[in-house]
Every structure is written in C-alpha cells, then in structure tokens.
Amino acid sequence: MTINIDRTRHPGAAAPSQRGFLWGASTSSYQIEGAAHVDGRADSIWDVYARPPGRVKNNDSGEVACDHYHRYPEDVALMRELGLNAYRFSIAWPRVLPQGRGAPNEKGLAFYDRLIDTLLAAGIEPWICLYHWDLPQALDDLGGWQNRDIAGWFADYAALIAKRYGDRVKHFATFNEPCVFTLFGYGFGWHAPGVADRAALHKAIHHVNLSHGKAIDVLRASVPGARLGAVHNRQPCYPCTKSPADAAAALRFAEYWNDAFPLPQHFACYPPTLAEAVAPYVQPGDMAQIARPLDWFGLNHYSPHYIKADSNLIGASFGAPPDDVPRTAIGWPIVPDAFRDTLLDIHKRFQLPIYVTENGTAADDTLDAAGGVQDDSRIAYLKAYTEAMAQAMAAGADVRGYFVWSLLDNFEWGSGYSQRFGIIYVDFATQRRIPKASARWYADMIAAQRATKGRSVRTNRVEAAEG
Ligand code: FCB
C-alpha cells in the first residue's frame, strides 16, 4: 500500500499539519485516565451513571481504568517506540473545572500540561478533543445538554483550554461523536446520563451544535494558528430487509447518525425530519452561529449499520447484518469498502482535509504462553481498512492522517473492560502494558510508509534537478 497525497486538490487549504501524513492513536479521558477522584477531579456523568449495579457490564467503571493519569510517561514512551507522530486525547472537563464552570482546578490543568510537554518532547503532535462524553455531573444537575445555557458554559470551558494550552497545541476538536452521546444518552438511555425522551434528545442535539459553534469562535480568537474541527461518525445505514418500513427507518436513522451535526455545522441546516423536531429549540441567529468555518473533518468509522424499523422514539434501531457479512468480536460488521465509500462521500460533500480520528476493532485478546498477544484478527482488520483508505485517497479523497482506536485496552462504555480495542494490551490487575502483535504491525507499516515517501521525495528531487 502506498499513500499518495494530492495537495493540489485543495490549493486554498493550508496543510493542517506540517508533518506530512499523520499516523497516530486516539484515546479518551474517561476511558483511560482513572484517578477519578484524585487531585480535585469531581464526578462526571459517567461516574454517576456507572455506579448503580447492572448498568455497565460486570459493574465496571472508569474509576481506575488504565491509570493513565499516573502512567502517562510510559504510555507516551510506547507511542514513541511505535513511531506515532500524533496523539488524540480528550480533556476531562470535571478534572479542570470540577463544577463545570467557575473556579478551575490547577492540579487538573497541570496534568494536561505534563502530558502535552511529554508528547512534544517525544516528537508527537497533541490533538485535543474538548468533549468525549464525560460531562461534569454538576452541569447535568442543571439540565446538562438539555439546558440552552450550556453553550455559554462550554464556550467558557473552551476559553480556559485555549488559554492554557494554545501556545503548544494547535489542533482542537470540539466534540467526539455527538450523534452517539445524544442518541444513546438522551434518546435510547443506554449511555450516561441514561435519559430516553424525545424532547430531551432534540434539545440536546441543538444545544450541542450551538456549543460547537460558540467554542469554535473562542478557539479561533484565542489560539494563533489554530486548526479546528469536530469528530463525527459517518457510516452507510443499510436497511436490514427490502421492506419499505426498513428502508424508511434507515433513512431516518441516517439523519440522526450521519447528518444531525455535520449538516448544521457545515451548511447551517438540519436534515428534513430532524428540522421539524428541533424547530421548537432553534432561536433566530442560531444556525449562523453553529456553521462556523472549519479546517478539517474528523471521521470515526468502524463499520456500516444495518437498520430496521422500530417502535422506539426515532422509529429505527440496529438490526442484524446479513449472515455472510463477517463481524468483529463486539459484533460489528467488517466491510472495508464502506469505509472507502464513506471517505469519498465526505470528500465530495465537505471539501475539507479529512482525518480518520478513530478506526479499529475489538478482539478476543489473551496472553499466550510466551506472554505476548497474537491478535491476527486485528491485524487483518487494520490492514483491510488502511488499504481501503489508500484506495479512497487514490480516487481523490484528501485524507491527511489516521488515528487507530485505540492505543490501550480501556473502559468501553456499557461493555466495561470486556471489549479490548487496544493495540497495546493492558493487564488491568497489574496495569502492565504489553504491545500486541498489531502494535508491531502498525509500527512496521508506518516505518514502511515513511521509507516509501522518503524515496519518492528523493526521486522527485533528482528528477527536478535533472530537469
Ligand atoms: C467510538 C467511541 C470510542 C470507543 C470506540 C470503540 O464510538 O468514540 O470512545 O468507544 O467507539
């Protein structure tokens, strides 16, 4: 596989990173940090949601997770060994602003200083995501994403982060997968804060969009040279059967999953069904405030969806994929062509540099007799998906970087620690990190890519000199 980057397609867009193609890894605060009540961090909605027995598999929580809060130097050293040149992580809002607003927590802010400085010293570009689902509980007590005031609270939080880290960090994402935390957290009740209510869902969707636009303004004004975006899932939503009901459900589901956030944020409009549902919460000027210019499009993609009609509050839910579609350990369909098509579709619609901000797979990883992890199914998945990305790029998609999900096995939301997504195995009893075979594969692939690129640069120079 050779990645060819055609920068001529976007002559107006400055390269968002000066480092060429980025090969990185992604994580999120609640899933890896642990230290949930250390150094002044207050509860997030996930701490509270996970507390009553029966909500998360095995009653797991992020209380300790990978203890990355204390072990980040080892984790950064591992990234460096693998040759990664970028790392996307999120800030725990309740660590830096325990009440969500008001007095900042210096000890929490200092943790991210240490992390950022360690990354930079290792030659790894830090990419900050402001929100990966761990809302301060204190703000949920005031209505959370259902309260329109949250747009101001989020903008103030963005200002704090911009002021503190904007001298060293240039790449910021506002939200990670807003469609998932709104739909699962306020529509289906499967994620924190566990609400299942039509009005709550639609209020949350609009207030998240508004918060995004306000935070973009703040980041743009306070970080010189900022490169700003948001991280979205996009994936084809296929009807499970040929029935007209399933076909209609798939279209409706796609509005919530694929378009509820990118459309307002890029084109100042909601998709049709949603436009009606959010109308009561939209005030004059909101759509212009939401649609602020962005520098890149962040894509999280794992699989396509197979959707069926349902009596739930959006009339659509996940159905089973056809029997002949292979699936990962967590049951997600493996269809690399859907990834290629999604990248091309994003390129066509949004005309921005694309970063794949998450892609990867769960696998049934176990330590072998030699103390290693031979995760061949993950290698096969990553190989197929990075090849699909190369095909999309060859066909014109302007992809500038790829972040594997995830660096470490971690707290996989409702599945707790039962699903391992890392390229590095974590023995949660001892916190020992063991790079899996896929980590070696990834490191070798990155090295080979750089060698190829180096060769072609040299060749071009020789050709130019020979003229
Ligand atoms: C994505 C989430 C991430 C992780 C992966 C497996 O939807 O952004 O936190 O859970 O799925």
Side-chain angles (χ1 to χ4, degrees), residues 37 56 66 81 86 116 233 248 458:
H37 298 95
V56 173
C66 309
E81 266 172 44
I116 290 164
N233 311 75
R458 273 200 299 280

Side-chain angles (χ1 to χ4, degrees), residues 148 206-207 270 274-275 277-287 290:
R148 190 179 163 93
H206 186 62
H207 297 154
Y270 280 101
L274 211 47
V278 298
Y281 316 114
V282 179
Q283 296 186 7
D286 281 4
M287 299 315 292
I290 293 169

Side-chain angles (χ1 to χ4, degrees), residues 28 31 132-133 176-177 180 233 300 302 332 358 405 412-413 421:
S28 90
Q31 293 179 278
H132 199 127
W133 309 358
N176 178 75
E177 299 189 359
V180 176
N233 311 75
N300 288 1
Y302 292 86
W332 298 353
E358 283 183 27
W405 183 273
E412 176 50 31
W413 309 115
F421 271 90

Side-chain angles (χ1 to χ4, degrees), residues 304-384:
H305 284 325
Y306 294 84
I307 299 300
K308 61 176 187 196
D310 193 289
S311 58
N312 65 10
L313 54 82
I314 66 162
S317 66
F318 298 109
D323 289 341
D324 58 348
V325 176
R327 303 190 211 177
T328 69
I330 202 172
W332 298 353
I334 305 174
V335 188
D337 286 358
F339 183 40
R340 179 201 58 213
D341 296 348
T342 300
L343 287 165
L344 286 167
D345 180 62
I346 291 171
H347 172 68
K348 204 168 78 199
R349 280 173 201 256
F350 300 99
Q351 292 287 312
L352 279 177
I354 302 167
Y355 288 91
V356 176
T357 35
E358 283 183 27
N359 173 247
T361 181
D364 294 322
D365 301 318
T366 46
L367 288 177
D368 59 25
V373 180
Q374 196 57 44
D375 55 340
D376 293 331
S377 66
R378 181 173 290 102
I379 294 174
Y381 177 99
L382 294 176
K383 196 163 181 296

Side-chain angles (χ1 to χ4, degrees), residues 249-270:
L251 286 177
R252 207 164 37 247
F253 194 89
E255 286 198 9
Y256 284 87
W257 197 269
N258 289 329
D259 289 338
F261 297 92
L263 250 53
Q265 294 175 11
H266 292 268
F267 307 118
C269 63
Y270 280 101

Side-chain angles (χ1 to χ4, degrees), residues 182-190 195-202 205 252-253 256 273-274 277 309-317:
T182 52
L183 198 54
F184 289 9
Y186 294 88
F188 297 159
W190 300 340
V195 176
D197 177 82
R198 213 182 126 74
L201 169 64
H202 295 119
I205 288 174
R252 207 164 37 247
F253 194 89
Y256 284 87
T273 313
L274 211 47
D310 193 289
S311 58
N312 65 10
L313 54 82
I314 66 162
S317 66

